Amino acid sequence: MEYCPGGELYTQLEQVGMFDEDRTRELIRQSLQALKHLHDLGVVHRDLKPENILFDRDLTTVKLSDFGMSKILEDENTLMNTKLGTPYYISPEILKGKYDKSCDMWSIGVITYVLLTGEPPFYGKNAAALFKKIATCDYEFSQDIWKTVSKEAKKFIIQTIEPNLSLRLTVEQALAHPLLNCQGHHAFQVDADNAQVFSRLKHFGAPKRLKMEILMMLVNLIDE
């Protein structure tokens, strides 16, 4: 794979705490364009997250990476059953062990939420609590930051973090969404010195005990 000297999107996120809406819009648009190319080729990524989105040298162009969990489908209607992925970003149907390429769109919604707030929509004190929230789609827009986020961004997140697969946006629908076609609308300036933002992002870096619990639970899921 080519060298992307700009590093991971997650690293950039750590440095600023969260992105404004214009920046988020462009990053998600590029990620979706890459994802559409994959889906058109019958490839499901299955592990989309900020760590697997890399910047080119100019820090404006991003590319998807790390295809270790990807799957090439012989038919677009093929259902997958291997329970894998990064816990914060996996969809409820992956936990059930019956899913299709739309699992990538759930991850896109979670990434959008993370970029705008610096924290994941789903969090639990332990692995069981985390997966329960994902399974029941238990998240909210309660933080103060959401008061400054446009209704288009919220609707985009709602339509991608959607448990009903028939209602979840496809990659084509997402690219046509108003959020990605309203440049400069409802953008806000992020205060990089906001201690609360960095505190949330640090909280996102789960403690070692939780990480181990999650890994053990994933092992159990895969072995089912």
Side-chain angles (χ1 to χ4, degrees), residues 16-17 27 30 36 69 73 78 86 90 122 128 137 150 152 178 182:
V16 300
L27 293 172
Q30 291 187 44
K36 183 180 186 303
M69 295 187 187
L73 302 180
T78 300
T86 300
I90 58 177
F122 305 103
C137 198
S150 71
E152 290 87 359
C182 57

Side-chain angles (χ1 to χ4, degrees), residues 71-122:
K71 175 74 172 180
I72 301 176
L73 302 180
E74 296 182 2
D75 184 275
E76 66 175 21
N77 296 317
T78 300
L79 293 179
M80 294 162 280
N81 52 37
T82 304
K83 298 176 181 178
L84 46 67
T86 300
Y88 291 108
Y89 301 92
I90 58 177
S91 63
E93 65 269 20
I94 287 182
L95 295 176
K96 295 177 181 178
K98 189 176 182 180
Y99 58 97
D100 59 19
K101 64 182 180 181
S102 63
C103 65
D104 284 340
M105 290 307 301
W106 174 281
S107 300
I108 287 289
V110 174
I111 293 170
T112 305
Y113 189 108
V114 169
L115 295 184
L116 290 172
T117 65
E119 66 178 357
F122 305 103

Side-chain angles (χ1 to χ4, degrees), residues 26-144:
E26 184 56 33
L27 293 172
I28 294 300
R29 180 189 292 114
Q30 291 187 44
S31 299
L32 283 168
Q33 289 169 341
L35 183 60
K36 183 180 186 303
H37 179 65
L38 290 180
H39 284 188
D40 287 347
L41 293 174
V43 177
V44 186
H45 192 285
R46 300 201 295 185
D47 194 29
L48 293 176
K49 55 184 177 181
E51 293 89 335
N52 289 341
I53 299 175
L54 302 181
F55 279 102
D56 206 342
R57 190 178 305 277
D58 58 7
L59 295 181
T60 59
T61 303
V62 294
K63 302 182 180 184
L64 299 186
S65 69
D66 196 346
F67 296 89
M69 295 187 187
S70 299
K71 175 74 172 180
I72 301 176
L73 302 180
E74 296 182 2
D75 184 275
E76 66 175 21
N77 296 317
T78 300
L79 293 179
M80 294 162 280
N81 52 37
T82 304
K83 298 176 181 178
L84 46 67
T86 300
Y88 291 108
Y89 301 92
I90 58 177
S91 63
E93 65 269 20
I94 287 182
L95 295 176
K96 295 177 181 178
K98 189 176 182 180
Y99 58 97
D100 59 19
K101 64 182 180 181
S102 63
C103 65
D104 284 340
M105 290 307 301
W106 174 281
S107 300
I108 287 289
V110 174
I111 293 170
T112 305
Y113 189 108
V114 169
L115 295 184
L116 290 172
T117 65
E119 66 178 357
F122 305 103
Y123 188 84
K125 293 183 178 180
N126 53 52
L130 170 63
F131 288 136
K132 182 178 180 180
K133 284 185 175 290
I134 292 173
T136 58
C137 198
D138 182 9
Y139 75 100
E140 55 188 17
F141 298 117
S142 61
Q143 307 95 320
D144 289 341

Side-chain angles (χ1 to χ4, degrees), residues 20-27 182-188:
D20 66 29
E21 200 166 310
D22 275 347
R23 182 73 161 144
T24 298
R25 178 184 299 113
E26 184 56 33
L27 293 172
C182 57
Q183 185 69 28
H185 183 56
H186 285 293
F188 59 91

Side-chain angles (χ1 to χ4, degrees), residues 4 10 19 31-32 58 66 81 87 96 101 120 150 154 164 167 181 184 193-194 203 209 212:
C4 294
Y10 187 79
F19 292 113
S31 299
L32 283 168
D58 58 7
D66 196 346
N81 52 37
K96 295 177 181 178
K101 64 182 180 181
S150 71
K154 293 176 184 176
N164 188 329
L167 298 178
N181 296 280
D193 295 324
N194 189 326
H203 186 59
R209 179 178 176 182
M212 289 304 298

Side-chain angles (χ1 to χ4, degrees), residues 137-197:
C137 198
D138 182 9
Y139 75 100
E140 55 188 17
F141 298 117
S142 61
Q143 307 95 320
D144 289 341
I145 190 62
W146 290 110
K147 296 177 181 178
T148 63
V149 176
S150 71
K151 63 180 181 181
E152 290 87 359
K154 293 176 184 176
K155 191 170 183 179
F156 180 87
I157 291 171
I158 291 170
Q159 292 176 315
T160 46
I161 306 180
E162 165 59 62
N164 188 329
L165 301 190
S166 65
L167 298 178
R168 188 181 304 167
L169 294 179
T170 64
V171 65
E172 292 83 6
Q173 291 170 335
L175 283 167
H177 195 278
L179 171 65
L180 303 186
N181 296 280
C182 57
Q183 185 69 28
H185 183 56
H186 285 293
F188 59 91
Q189 182 64 40
V190 174
D191 181 2
D193 295 324
N194 189 326
Q196 185 178 6
V197 172

